[in-house]
Every structure is written in C-alpha cells, then in structure tokens.
Amino acid sequence: MGKDSKSAGKGKGKQAAGGSDDAASKGKAKGGKADGLGTCTYVKARHVLCEKQGKINEAYKKLQDGWLSNGDKVPPAEFAKIAAEYSECPSGKKGGDLGWFPRGKMAGPFQEVAFNTPVGVTSAPFKSTHGYHIILSEGRKN
C-alpha cells in the first residue's frame, strides 16, 4: 500500500512533472493566458526567401523529404543548410537566421506566419511582398 500511495502522489503531477510544468509555464506566464501563439511580442526565426515559387517549392521538398513527411521537425542546423543553398535573402549566409524581431517589424503575411507558427515548427511556403518564404520558428518571448 505504501508504494501505491507514493505513486498516486506522483501521478497527480505536482512533483513528478513539476520540472517540465515549471519550464513550460514560465514561458507561457509571460506570453499571456492563451497558448502563447499570436500573443507574444518577439519571435526568433530562420527563413528561406526565394523570388520564384518553383525555387521555394524545391527547397520545401528537400525539407519534406528529409523530415516533414515523416512527421519530424527540421533541425535548425539542417534548415540553415537549405537556407544557405536556396535563400536569396542576405540572411541566407547566416543560415536564414533573422534573430529576435518584434511584432510590427516584418511585412504583413510574414509577420502573420512568423507569429502563428509554433516553436520548432516549419511553415509551409507562403507569398509576401518580397517573394516566397518558408519559416522555422525558433522561439517566442514578450
């Protein structure tokens, strides 16, 4: 019985999952009440920018073949290689790294996708005033 009551206590999650809950809630506490999507003030992202749709689709296919079609997340280092190879943005030389940027700094569709893509997730290709993009969300904060 003693063992059961201990495991029941852990099952409630306060102590067993305390570490991970704390880490998750720290990020969310700052982000507001929602799941943090669309409510944060800053996003850290990498992107690939191509003028032509065919080229962005080619880059996206590499990401799909390597990871996305298996349901895997694209590792930032691998996304960086694709960005260096395909991106026509000066950030391509840095693996597409845009660093942290605030809401309001990026053009409409880009901001929309960047602030609504969960951390670790790669967006589908989309069009902005600058061309076609793929975004990898790396972080969010207020």
Side-chain angles (χ1 to χ4, degrees):
M1 276 250 145
K3 281 182 184 168
D4 288 344
S5 63
K6 268 188 189 164
S7 64
K10 278 187 180 167
K12 285 180 184 151
K14 275 291 178 241
Q15 282 190 303
S20 59
D21 282 353
D22 287 351
S25 64
K26 268 184 197 140
K28 286 179 187 157
K30 291 180 190 162
K33 305 168 199 66
D35 58 4
L37 285 183
T39 59
C40 61
T41 309
Y42 291 88
V43 165
K44 183 176 195 287
R46 293 180 181 273
H47 81 137
V48 178
L49 168 66
C50 300
E51 189 184 336
K52 301 214 176 336
Q53 193 170 6
K55 190 172 179 186
I56 201 79
N57 288 343
E58 197 179 309
Y60 191 67
K61 184 166 178 5
K62 280 201 166 185
L63 296 172
Q64 281 182 308
D65 292 349
W67 301 274
L68 301 175
S69 58
N70 307 328
D72 295 331
K73 290 184 173 176
V74 180
E78 297 300 324
F79 188 94
K81 288 178 191 171
I82 301 288
E85 185 180 343
Y86 287 92
S87 187
E88 295 161 16
C89 176
S91 71
K93 293 186 181 81
K94 300 182 295 179
D97 190 3
L98 297 171
W100 291 98
F101 53 89
R103 193 178 290 279
K105 183 172 194 284
M106 301 295 183
F110 190 93
Q111 173 172 290
E112 193 65 28
V113 175
F115 279 84
N116 287 296
T117 301
V119 174
V121 174
T122 302
S123 77
F126 66 96
K127 188 177 190 336
S128 82
T129 50
H130 301 285
Y132 296 88
H133 307 261
I134 302 167
I135 294 178
L136 170 64
S137 174
E138 291 193 297
R140 41 182 70 244
K141 67 183 181 182
N142 273 359

mmCIF file of all heavy atoms in Angstrom, residues 31 36 40 43 45 60 73 76 101:
data_model
loop_
_atom_site.group_PDB
_atom_site.id
_atom_site.type_symbol
_atom_site.label_atom_id
_atom_site.label_comp_id
_atom_site.label_asym_id
_atom_site.label_seq_id
_atom_site.Cartn_x
_atom_site.Cartn_y
_atom_site.Cartn_z
ATOM 1 N N GLY A 31 3.708 35.103 -21.733
ATOM 2 C CA GLY A 31 3.011 35.194 -23.007
ATOM 3 C C GLY A 31 1.525 35.487 -22.894
ATOM 4 O O GLY A 31 0.898 35.785 -23.887
ATOM 5 N N GLY A 36 0.060 31.109 -26.135
ATOM 6 C CA GLY A 36 1.268 31.845 -26.484
ATOM 7 C C GLY A 36 1.340 32.160 -27.973
ATOM 8 O O GLY A 36 2.066 33.049 -28.380
ATOM 9 N N CYS A 40 2.670 36.660 -28.254
ATOM 10 C CA CYS A 40 3.987 37.096 -27.819
ATOM 11 C C CYS A 40 4.390 38.381 -28.557
ATOM 12 O O CYS A 40 3.795 38.748 -29.561
ATOM 13 C CB CYS A 40 5.012 35.998 -28.054
ATOM 14 S SG CYS A 40 5.162 35.545 -29.776
ATOM 15 N N VAL A 43 9.579 37.166 -31.785
ATOM 16 C CA VAL A 43 9.751 35.820 -32.322
ATOM 17 C C VAL A 43 11.184 35.705 -32.814
ATOM 18 O O VAL A 43 11.752 36.667 -33.337
ATOM 19 C CB VAL A 43 8.758 35.559 -33.489
ATOM 20 C CG1 VAL A 43 9.158 34.341 -34.291
ATOM 21 C CG2 VAL A 43 7.353 35.376 -32.957
ATOM 22 N N ALA A 45 13.344 33.532 -35.487
ATOM 23 C CA ALA A 45 13.049 32.657 -36.625
ATOM 24 C C ALA A 45 14.186 32.611 -37.630
ATOM 25 O O ALA A 45 15.028 33.503 -37.682
ATOM 26 C CB ALA A 45 11.769 33.132 -37.317
ATOM 27 N N TYR A 60 11.413 23.479 -50.176
ATOM 28 C CA TYR A 60 10.448 22.860 -49.260
ATOM 29 C C TYR A 60 10.408 21.350 -49.461
ATOM 30 O O TYR A 60 10.295 20.596 -48.497
ATOM 31 C CB TYR A 60 9.053 23.472 -49.459
ATOM 32 C CG TYR A 60 8.075 23.083 -48.373
ATOM 33 C CD1 TYR A 60 8.259 23.532 -47.064
ATOM 34 C CD2 TYR A 60 6.980 22.272 -48.628
ATOM 35 C CE1 TYR A 60 7.369 23.181 -46.047
ATOM 36 C CE2 TYR A 60 6.091 21.917 -47.625
ATOM 37 C CZ TYR A 60 6.300 22.379 -46.332
ATOM 38 O OH TYR A 60 5.427 22.031 -45.334
ATOM 39 N N LYS A 73 10.469 17.164 -36.953
ATOM 40 C CA LYS A 73 10.764 18.593 -37.024
ATOM 41 C C LYS A 73 12.116 18.757 -37.712
ATOM 42 O O LYS A 73 13.001 17.917 -37.561
ATOM 43 C CB LYS A 73 10.803 19.197 -35.623
ATOM 44 C CG LYS A 73 9.415 19.240 -34.999
ATOM 45 C CD LYS A 73 9.399 19.908 -33.657
ATOM 46 C CE LYS A 73 7.947 20.056 -33.195
ATOM 47 N NZ LYS A 73 7.846 20.607 -31.856
ATOM 48 N N PRO A 76 17.322 22.926 -36.686
ATOM 49 C CA PRO A 76 17.755 24.251 -37.150
ATOM 50 C C PRO A 76 19.024 24.215 -38.007
ATOM 51 O O PRO A 76 19.122 24.941 -38.991
ATOM 52 C CB PRO A 76 17.981 25.026 -35.848
ATOM 53 C CG PRO A 76 17.019 24.396 -34.889
ATOM 54 C CD PRO A 76 16.991 22.933 -35.258
ATOM 55 N N PHE A 101 12.856 39.341 -33.490
ATOM 56 C CA PHE A 101 12.264 40.560 -34.052
ATOM 57 C C PHE A 101 10.896 40.789 -33.428
ATOM 58 O O PHE A 101 10.192 39.846 -33.083
ATOM 59 C CB PHE A 101 12.185 40.519 -35.588
ATOM 60 C CG PHE A 101 11.505 39.307 -36.159
ATOM 61 C CD1 PHE A 101 10.136 39.285 -36.369
ATOM 62 C CD2 PHE A 101 12.249 38.191 -36.507
ATOM 63 C CE1 PHE A 101 9.520 38.170 -36.908
ATOM 64 C CE2 PHE A 101 11.639 37.068 -37.045
ATOM 65 C CZ PHE A 101 10.271 37.057 -37.241
#
